[in-house]
Short mmCIF file of all heavy atoms in Angstrom, two decimals:
data_model
loop_
_atom_site.label_atom_id
_atom_site.label_comp_id
_atom_site.label_asym_id
_atom_site.label_seq_id
_atom_site.Cartn_x
_atom_site.Cartn_y
_atom_site.Cartn_z
N MET S 1 0.84 -1.20 -0.07
CA MET S 1 -0.01 -0.04 -0.01
C MET S 1 0.88 1.24 -0.08
O MET S 1 1.91 1.29 0.53
CB MET S 1 -0.91 0.04 1.27
CG MET S 1 -2.05 -0.89 1.18
SD MET S 1 -3.59 -0.01 1.14
CE MET S 1 -4.64 -1.36 1.71
N SER S 2 0.43 2.31 -0.65
CA SER S 2 1.12 3.51 -0.66
C SER S 2 0.17 4.65 -0.15
O SER S 2 -0.99 4.43 0.13
CB SER S 2 1.57 3.92 -2.07
OG SER S 2 0.40 4.18 -2.84
N GLN S 3 0.84 5.87 0.09
CA GLN S 3 -0.05 6.93 0.53
C GLN S 3 -1.09 7.24 -0.50
O GLN S 3 -2.26 7.62 -0.11
CB GLN S 3 0.96 8.18 0.68
CG GLN S 3 0.32 9.16 1.61
CD GLN S 3 0.47 8.66 3.10
OE1 GLN S 3 1.24 7.84 3.44
NE2 GLN S 3 -0.50 9.21 3.88
N LEU S 6 -3.99 4.94 0.12
CA LEU S 6 -4.67 5.41 1.28
C LEU S 6 -5.76 6.33 0.82
O LEU S 6 -6.97 6.30 1.23
CB LEU S 6 -3.83 6.07 2.31
CG LEU S 6 -4.56 6.74 3.50
CD1 LEU S 6 -5.36 5.84 4.32
CD2 LEU S 6 -3.61 7.48 4.37
N LEU S 9 -8.50 4.52 -0.96
CA LEU S 9 -9.20 3.65 0.02
C LEU S 9 -10.21 4.41 0.85
O LEU S 9 -11.27 3.91 1.02
CB LEU S 9 -8.19 3.03 1.02
CG LEU S 9 -8.74 2.10 2.08
CD1 LEU S 9 -9.45 0.89 1.52
CD2 LEU S 9 -7.70 1.68 3.10
N GLY S 20 -9.48 -2.48 5.28
CA GLY S 20 -8.27 -2.10 4.69
C GLY S 20 -7.32 -1.44 5.60
O GLY S 20 -6.07 -1.37 5.30
N LEU S 21 -7.81 -0.86 6.70
CA LEU S 21 -6.97 -0.10 7.52
C LEU S 21 -6.16 -0.98 8.57
O LEU S 21 -5.17 -0.52 9.13
CB LEU S 21 -7.79 0.95 8.43
CG LEU S 21 -8.21 2.22 7.69
CD1 LEU S 21 -9.11 3.07 8.64
CD2 LEU S 21 -7.02 3.03 7.26
N LEU S 22 -6.55 -2.25 8.68
CA LEU S 22 -5.86 -3.16 9.47
C LEU S 22 -4.34 -3.26 8.91
O LEU S 22 -4.18 -3.51 7.75
CB LEU S 22 -6.51 -4.52 9.53
CG LEU S 22 -7.84 -4.60 10.17
CD1 LEU S 22 -8.45 -6.00 9.99
CD2 LEU S 22 -7.74 -4.28 11.66
N GLY S 23 -3.40 -3.19 9.83
CA GLY S 23 -2.06 -3.30 9.36
C GLY S 23 -1.33 -1.96 9.11
O GLY S 23 -0.24 -1.90 8.84
N TRP S 24 -2.17 -0.90 9.10
CA TRP S 24 -1.58 0.44 8.82
C TRP S 24 -0.97 0.99 10.14
O TRP S 24 -1.34 0.58 11.24
CB TRP S 24 -2.70 1.39 8.35
CG TRP S 24 -2.93 1.21 6.84
CD1 TRP S 24 -3.49 0.18 6.21
CD2 TRP S 24 -2.54 2.17 5.83
NE1 TRP S 24 -3.55 0.43 4.89
CE2 TRP S 24 -2.96 1.54 4.54
CE3 TRP S 24 -1.82 3.43 5.86
CZ2 TRP S 24 -2.69 2.21 3.45
CZ3 TRP S 24 -1.69 3.96 4.63
CH2 TRP S 24 -2.09 3.36 3.37
N SER S 25 -0.02 2.00 9.94
CA SER S 25 0.61 2.59 11.15
C SER S 25 -0.10 3.91 11.43
O SER S 25 -0.45 4.71 10.48
CB SER S 25 2.06 2.89 10.88
OG SER S 25 2.78 1.69 10.82
N LEU S 26 -0.35 4.20 12.70
CA LEU S 26 -0.93 5.40 13.20
C LEU S 26 0.23 6.08 13.83
O LEU S 26 0.59 5.58 14.93
CB LEU S 26 -2.11 5.22 14.05
CG LEU S 26 -2.78 6.49 14.57
CD1 LEU S 26 -3.34 7.42 13.42
CD2 LEU S 26 -3.91 6.10 15.52
N ILE S 27 0.69 7.22 13.35
CA ILE S 27 1.89 7.87 13.84
C ILE S 27 1.55 9.20 14.55
O ILE S 27 0.75 9.99 13.99
CB ILE S 27 2.96 8.01 12.79
CG1 ILE S 27 3.38 6.67 12.16
CG2 ILE S 27 4.12 8.85 13.24
CD1 ILE S 27 4.23 6.80 10.93
N SER S 28 2.10 9.45 15.69
CA SER S 28 1.74 10.71 16.48
C SER S 28 3.04 11.37 16.75
O SER S 28 3.98 10.81 17.41
CB SER S 28 1.01 10.37 17.65
OG SER S 28 0.99 11.52 18.55
N THR S 34 7.71 11.25 19.28
CA THR S 34 7.04 10.37 18.22
C THR S 34 6.59 9.02 18.93
O THR S 34 7.36 8.28 19.49
CB THR S 34 8.04 10.09 17.15
OG1 THR S 34 8.42 11.37 16.56
CG2 THR S 34 7.47 9.12 16.06
N THR S 35 5.38 8.67 18.69
CA THR S 35 4.81 7.45 19.08
C THR S 35 4.05 6.87 17.83
O THR S 35 3.50 7.59 17.12
CB THR S 35 3.96 7.53 20.27
OG1 THR S 35 2.91 8.51 20.06
CG2 THR S 35 4.66 7.91 21.56
N ALA S 36 3.95 5.52 17.85
CA ALA S 36 3.25 4.96 16.68
C ALA S 36 2.72 3.55 17.07
O ALA S 36 3.23 2.84 17.91
CB ALA S 36 4.12 4.81 15.49
N VAL S 37 1.54 3.23 16.45
CA VAL S 37 1.03 1.83 16.65
C VAL S 37 0.59 1.27 15.32
O VAL S 37 0.42 1.98 14.32
CB VAL S 37 -0.16 1.87 17.57
CG1 VAL S 37 0.13 2.37 19.04
CG2 VAL S 37 -1.35 2.66 16.98
N THR S 38 0.50 -0.10 15.28
CA THR S 38 -0.04 -0.70 14.09
C THR S 38 -1.51 -1.00 14.36
O THR S 38 -1.84 -1.54 15.48
CB THR S 38 0.75 -1.99 13.79
OG1 THR S 38 2.07 -1.72 13.61
CG2 THR S 38 0.15 -2.71 12.56
N VAL S 39 -2.42 -0.65 13.47
CA VAL S 39 -3.88 -0.75 13.68
C VAL S 39 -4.20 -2.22 13.63
O VAL S 39 -3.85 -2.92 12.69
CB VAL S 39 -4.63 -0.04 12.71
CG1 VAL S 39 -6.13 -0.22 12.84
CG2 VAL S 39 -4.28 1.52 12.71
N ILE S 40 -4.81 -2.78 14.67
CA ILE S 40 -5.12 -4.15 14.68
C ILE S 40 -6.54 -4.45 14.92
O ILE S 40 -7.11 -5.59 14.87
CB ILE S 40 -4.28 -5.00 15.67
CG1 ILE S 40 -4.59 -4.45 17.19
CG2 ILE S 40 -2.84 -4.99 15.43
CD1 ILE S 40 -4.00 -5.24 18.19
N THR S 42 -10.57 -2.47 14.28
CA THR S 42 -11.36 -1.38 13.83
C THR S 42 -12.91 -1.70 13.92
O THR S 42 -13.31 -2.94 14.02
CB THR S 42 -11.13 -1.06 12.34
OG1 THR S 42 -11.45 -2.17 11.53
CG2 THR S 42 -9.63 -0.65 12.18
N MET S 85 -10.95 7.80 18.83
CA MET S 85 -10.77 8.46 17.57
C MET S 85 -11.26 7.59 16.36
O MET S 85 -11.13 6.33 16.42
CB MET S 85 -9.29 8.85 17.30
CG MET S 85 -8.32 7.72 17.06
SD MET S 85 -6.73 8.44 16.46
CE MET S 85 -7.15 9.09 14.83
N VAL S 87 -11.61 7.53 11.89
CA VAL S 87 -11.12 8.04 10.56
C VAL S 87 -12.46 8.25 9.72
O VAL S 87 -13.17 7.25 9.49
CB VAL S 87 -10.24 7.03 9.89
CG1 VAL S 87 -9.79 7.61 8.54
CG2 VAL S 87 -9.07 6.73 10.83
N LEU S 100 -11.07 3.45 15.45
CA LEU S 100 -9.79 2.67 15.75
C LEU S 100 -9.88 2.15 17.08
O LEU S 100 -9.75 2.90 18.14
CB LEU S 100 -8.63 3.63 15.57
CG LEU S 100 -8.51 4.21 14.16
CD1 LEU S 100 -7.31 5.10 14.11
CD2 LEU S 100 -8.48 3.18 13.10
N GLY S 102 -8.06 -0.48 18.49
CA GLY S 102 -6.89 -1.01 19.14
C GLY S 102 -5.66 -1.05 18.21
O GLY S 102 -5.75 -1.03 17.04
N GLY S 103 -4.47 -1.07 18.81
CA GLY S 103 -3.26 -1.06 18.07
C GLY S 103 -2.06 -1.73 18.85
O GLY S 103 -2.18 -1.94 20.08
N GLU S 104 -1.14 -2.19 18.08
CA GLU S 104 0.15 -2.68 18.67
C GLU S 104 1.21 -1.59 18.65
O GLU S 104 1.52 -1.05 17.58
CB GLU S 104 0.59 -3.81 17.85
CG GLU S 104 -0.18 -5.19 18.11
CD GLU S 104 0.45 -6.34 17.27
OE1 GLU S 104 1.26 -6.01 16.35
OE2 GLU S 104 0.00 -7.51 17.54
N PRO S 105 1.81 -1.29 19.77
CA PRO S 105 2.83 -0.27 19.86
C PRO S 105 4.02 -0.67 18.98
O PRO S 105 4.44 -1.79 18.98
CB PRO S 105 3.29 -0.37 21.36
CG PRO S 105 2.14 -0.96 22.06
CD PRO S 105 1.48 -1.94 21.13
N SER S 106 4.45 0.32 18.16
CA SER S 106 5.63 0.02 17.25
C SER S 106 6.69 1.07 17.35
O SER S 106 7.78 0.81 16.91
CB SER S 106 5.01 0.01 15.79
OG SER S 106 4.45 1.25 15.48
N ALA S 107 6.50 2.17 18.03
CA ALA S 107 7.51 3.16 18.18
C ALA S 107 7.21 4.07 19.36
O ALA S 107 6.00 4.24 19.71
CB ALA S 107 7.77 4.05 16.88
N LEU S 129 -5.66 3.63 23.25
CA LEU S 129 -4.90 3.91 22.08
C LEU S 129 -4.84 5.46 22.04
O LEU S 129 -3.59 6.00 21.71
CB LEU S 129 -5.72 3.51 20.87
CG LEU S 129 -5.04 3.65 19.52
CD1 LEU S 129 -5.43 2.53 18.56
CD2 LEU S 129 -5.53 4.97 18.84
N LEU S 133 -1.06 7.62 22.42
CA LEU S 133 -0.63 8.49 21.37
C LEU S 133 -0.73 10.01 21.71
O LEU S 133 -0.26 10.80 20.96
CB LEU S 133 -1.34 8.18 20.05
CG LEU S 133 -1.15 6.74 19.45
CD1 LEU S 133 -1.95 6.64 18.19
CD2 LEU S 133 0.35 6.62 19.12
N LEU S 144 -5.75 13.47 8.86
CA LEU S 144 -4.96 12.32 9.19
C LEU S 144 -3.98 11.88 8.09
O LEU S 144 -3.27 10.99 8.24
CB LEU S 144 -5.93 11.16 9.51
CG LEU S 144 -6.68 11.32 10.87
CD1 LEU S 144 -7.52 10.16 11.00
CD2 LEU S 144 -5.74 11.47 12.05
N ARG S 145 -4.14 12.66 6.89
CA ARG S 145 -3.22 12.30 5.83
C ARG S 145 -1.82 13.00 5.93
O ARG S 145 -0.87 12.72 5.39
CB ARG S 145 -3.82 12.63 4.48
CG ARG S 145 -5.10 11.80 4.16
CD ARG S 145 -5.88 12.41 3.11
NE ARG S 145 -6.15 13.84 3.42
CZ ARG S 145 -6.19 14.82 2.51
NH1 ARG S 145 -6.11 14.51 1.19
NH2 ARG S 145 -6.33 16.04 2.90
N ARG S 146 -1.80 13.97 6.74
CA ARG S 146 -0.58 14.72 7.09
C ARG S 146 -0.74 15.38 8.47
O ARG S 146 -1.74 15.34 9.09
CB ARG S 146 -0.41 15.81 6.01
CG ARG S 146 -1.35 16.95 6.16
CD ARG S 146 -1.21 17.95 4.99
NE ARG S 146 -2.18 17.75 4.00
CZ ARG S 146 -1.98 17.31 2.78
NH1 ARG S 146 -0.77 16.93 2.45
NH2 ARG S 146 -2.96 17.17 1.87
N GLY S 147 0.42 15.98 8.93
CA GLY S 147 0.30 16.65 10.15
C GLY S 147 0.94 15.82 11.36
O GLY S 147 1.58 14.79 11.13
N LEU S 148 0.61 16.31 12.50
CA LEU S 148 1.25 15.63 13.78
C LEU S 148 0.64 14.27 14.02
O LEU S 148 1.26 13.39 14.65
CB LEU S 148 0.98 16.59 15.01
CG LEU S 148 1.75 17.90 15.02
CD1 LEU S 148 1.46 18.70 16.23
CD2 LEU S 148 3.27 17.65 14.88
N LEU S 149 -0.59 14.07 13.57
CA LEU S 149 -1.24 12.81 13.72
C LEU S 149 -1.65 12.24 12.33
O LEU S 149 -2.36 12.95 11.65
CB LEU S 149 -2.44 12.92 14.65
CG LEU S 149 -3.18 11.59 14.98
CD1 LEU S 149 -2.41 10.68 15.74
CD2 LEU S 149 -4.52 11.91 15.70
N ARG S 150 -1.03 11.11 11.97
CA ARG S 150 -1.29 10.69 10.58
C ARG S 150 -1.20 9.20 10.41
O ARG S 150 -0.68 8.47 11.21
CB ARG S 150 -0.21 11.35 9.68
CG ARG S 150 1.16 10.94 9.97
CD ARG S 150 2.16 11.92 9.32
NE ARG S 150 3.53 11.42 9.57
CZ ARG S 150 4.19 11.72 10.76
NH1 ARG S 150 3.63 12.57 11.59
NH2 ARG S 150 5.41 11.42 10.93
N LEU S 151 -1.81 8.71 9.32
CA LEU S 151 -1.80 7.38 8.91
C LEU S 151 -0.75 7.18 7.89
O LEU S 151 -0.67 7.96 6.92
CB LEU S 151 -3.17 6.92 8.38
CG LEU S 151 -4.35 6.70 9.42
CD1 LEU S 151 -5.68 6.62 8.72
CD2 LEU S 151 -4.09 5.36 10.20
N GLU S 152 0.02 6.14 7.95
CA GLU S 152 1.01 5.85 7.00
C GLU S 152 1.02 4.30 6.72
O GLU S 152 0.64 3.53 7.58
CB GLU S 152 2.47 6.30 7.44
CG GLU S 152 2.53 7.81 7.50
CD GLU S 152 4.00 8.23 7.81
OE1 GLU S 152 4.84 7.29 7.90
OE2 GLU S 152 4.24 9.39 7.95
N PRO S 153 1.57 3.93 5.52
CA PRO S 153 1.62 2.49 5.21
C PRO S 153 2.34 1.80 6.31
O PRO S 153 3.42 2.27 6.78
CB PRO S 153 2.40 2.50 3.85
CG PRO S 153 2.07 3.83 3.29
CD PRO S 153 1.98 4.83 4.39
N GLY S 154 1.76 0.73 6.80
CA GLY S 154 2.44 0.00 7.91
C GLY S 154 2.95 -1.39 7.44
O GLY S 154 3.09 -1.69 6.26
N PRO S 155 3.07 -2.29 8.34
CA PRO S 155 3.51 -3.69 8.04
C PRO S 155 2.49 -4.48 7.33
O PRO S 155 2.80 -5.54 6.75
CB PRO S 155 3.84 -4.24 9.48
CG PRO S 155 3.04 -3.45 10.36
CD PRO S 155 2.99 -2.04 9.78
N GLY S 156 1.30 -3.94 7.28
CA GLY S 156 0.22 -4.70 6.60
C GLY S 156 -0.21 -5.86 7.40
O GLY S 156 0.02 -5.99 8.61
N LEU S 157 -0.90 -6.84 6.74
CA LEU S 157 -1.43 -7.99 7.48
C LEU S 157 -0.35 -8.97 7.91
O LEU S 157 -0.53 -9.70 8.84
CB LEU S 157 -2.48 -8.72 6.67
CG LEU S 157 -3.66 -7.87 6.27
CD1 LEU S 157 -4.75 -8.79 5.56
CD2 LEU S 157 -4.33 -7.32 7.58
N LEU S 182 -7.31 -8.24 13.83
CA LEU S 182 -6.22 -9.18 13.40
C LEU S 182 -6.09 -10.27 14.41
O LEU S 182 -6.09 -10.05 15.59
CB LEU S 182 -4.91 -8.31 13.32
CG LEU S 182 -4.71 -7.65 11.91
CD1 LEU S 182 -3.21 -7.13 11.98
CD2 LEU S 182 -4.80 -8.62 10.80
#
Side-chain angles (χ1 to χ4, degrees):
Chain S
M1 281 243 204
S2 68
Q3 204 67 28
L6 169 63
L9 174 66
L21 283 178
L22 293 175
W24 278 71
S25 287
L26 180 61
I27 300 172
S28 163
T34 299
T35 50
V37 300
T38 302
V39 178
I40 60 171
T42 62
M85 75 169 287
V87 181
L100 302 181
E104 279 180 352
S106 59
L129 184 147
L133 294 178
L144 294 176
R145 295 164 308 147
R146 70 182 101 252
L148 293 179
L149 181 65
R150 61 194 182 278
L151 285 164
E152 289 188 4
L157 298 185
L182 274 183

